[in-house]
């Protein structure tokens, strides 16, 4: 495991994607500093942040002790999990077959659970008018994806077998299950996994980091924040 002497700087806002990284950092037990970037006020468009996260999305890190002990910046939460797993040699199997399983479930979360649950959040909570088709489309797709997890977890303790960053990638989204119109009682294996995850101290800390700041920004009522977040174009 790489010894980290200087804190990694985490540019963060308490979103499901951001919480993946606070959870991973807590599980690794490495030093890190949180720099909050208020996405409701548009701080993610500042040149300093775009220099390390060109997609203007949470989260991003600057590791002052990157490969070769030289600084590196990394953006995209999935890439961050892979980077941290490789650098510190934990929650990322060395065995090739086991690593494939971890990467599969990470990509499943990045390409499926996250985007679809995020759209369910949007059309169920933030859309200025209820659009039945969109409401049902994304609620049902979140339900389908929960079913995929439930079947996988019927004979696996964790998504990739052993506990890994694939689980950390998904817990932040599943923790918002009610906002997605889901009932974990309908998914007993997923519910068992969820309760196991939520009992981990690092997960508890990772999910709660910045919660008070999040509570001060009620996007469902803040029209200015909605404009910043939901009206973005190329310029």
């Amino acid at each position: 495991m790489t010894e980290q002497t200087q804190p990694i700087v985490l540019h963060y806002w308490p979103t499901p994607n951001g919480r993946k990284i606070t959870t991973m950092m807590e599980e690794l037990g490495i030093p890190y500093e949180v720099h909050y970037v208020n996405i409701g006020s548009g701080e993610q468009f500042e040149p300093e942040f775009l220099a390390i996260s060109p997609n203007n999305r949470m989260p991003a890190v600057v590791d002052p002790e990157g490969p070769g002990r030289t600084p590196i910046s990394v953006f995209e939460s999935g890439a961050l999990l892979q980077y941290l797993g490789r650098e510190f040699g934990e929650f990322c199997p060395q065995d090739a077959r086991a690593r494939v399983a971890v990467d599969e479930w990470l990509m499943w979360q990045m390409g499926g659970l996250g985007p679809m649950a995020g759209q369910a959040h949007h059309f169920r909570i933030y859309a200025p008018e209820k659009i039945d088709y969109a409401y049902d489309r994304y609620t049902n797709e979140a339900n389908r994806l929960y079913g995929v997890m439930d079947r996988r977890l019927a004979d696996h303790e964790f998504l990739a077998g052993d506990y890994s960053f694939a689980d950390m990638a998904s817990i932040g989204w599943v923790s918002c299950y009610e906002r997605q119109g889901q009932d974990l009682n309908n998914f007993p294996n997923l519910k068992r996994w969820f309760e196991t995850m939520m009992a981990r101290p690092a997960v508890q800390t990772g999910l709660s980091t910045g919660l008070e700041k999040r509570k001060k920004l009620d996007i469902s009522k803040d029209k200015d924040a909605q404009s910043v977040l939901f009206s973005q174009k190329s310029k």
Side-chain angles (χ1 to χ4, degrees):
M1 176 176 176
T2 300
E3 181 180 355
Q4 189 79 20
T5 59
Q6 299 182 64
I8 294 176
V9 178
L10 170 61
H11 296 263
Y12 171 84
W13 192 251
T15 66
N17 286 332
R19 290 168 180 146
K20 299 174 189 177
I21 311 307
T22 48
T23 298
M24 180 69 160
M25 300 273 203
E26 291 292 328
E27 290 283 13
L28 290 169
I30 57 176
Y32 69 100
E33 294 178 359
V34 176
H35 286 201
Y36 288 97
V37 182
N38 189 328
I39 61 176
S41 63
E43 292 179 1
Q44 69 271 35
F45 300 109
E46 295 295 329
E48 295 80 7
F49 182 69
L50 290 174
I52 61 172
S53 183
N55 194 36
N56 59 266
R57 290 290 189 272
M58 296 298 114
V61 305
V62 176
D63 182 358
E65 299 175 356
R69 310 305 283 180
T70 58
I72 187 173
S73 63
V74 187
F75 75 103
E76 289 296 319
S77 59
L80 275 165
L81 290 172
Q82 291 179 320
Y83 171 75
L84 293 169
R86 290 191 300 266
E87 283 296 295
F88 295 97
E90 294 191 43
F91 311 112
C92 178
Q94 297 302 307
D95 175 75
R97 290 181 180 273
R99 190 167 61 249
V100 166
V102 173
D103 287 341
E104 284 178 328
W105 286 99
L106 174 63
M107 294 304 112
W108 174 84
Q109 184 281 311
M110 295 291 294
L113 179 63
M116 296 300 103
Q119 293 294 345
H121 289 178
H122 181 83
F123 286 104
R124 292 178 62 87
I125 298 170
Y126 302 123
E129 60 183 90
K130 182 181 177 183
I131 304 171
D132 288 337
Y133 178 83
Y135 187 100
D136 293 341
R137 166 75 178 93
Y138 292 111
T139 300
N140 291 342
E141 181 61 6
N143 186 270
R144 184 190 74 82
L145 291 164
Y146 276 41
V148 172
M149 290 186 76
D150 192 65
R151 289 190 295 275
R152 172 67 175 181
L153 293 165
D155 53 7
H156 294 81
E157 184 178 6
F158 297 102
L159 287 171
D162 293 331
Y163 183 53
S164 72
F165 59 62
D167 301 288
M168 302 176 209
S170 292
I171 186 58
W173 289 101
V174 177
S175 69
C176 304
Y177 65 91
E178 292 178 325
R179 293 161 65 89
Q180 302 154 25
Q182 307 306 317
D183 182 353
L184 290 189
N185 290 317
N186 296 328
F187 306 98
N189 305 308
L190 175 56
K191 183 178 181 181
R192 184 269 309 160
W193 171 88
F194 176 78
E195 292 172 347
T196 299
M197 291 291 293
M198 295 299 287
R200 297 182 69 93
V203 173
Q204 295 170 13
T205 301
L207 296 186
S208 63
T209 300
L211 192 59
E212 291 305 312
K213 290 182 179 291
R214 174 88 183 202
K215 289 178 178 178
K216 293 178 181 178
L217 177 64
D218 187 349
I219 297 172
S220 64
K221 297 178 181 178
D222 190 328
K223 299 301 182 183
D224 290 336
Q226 289 179 19
S227 178
V228 169
L229 291 169
F230 305 142
S231 301
Q232 299 173 17
K233 296 183 180 179
S234 63
K235 296 181 180 180

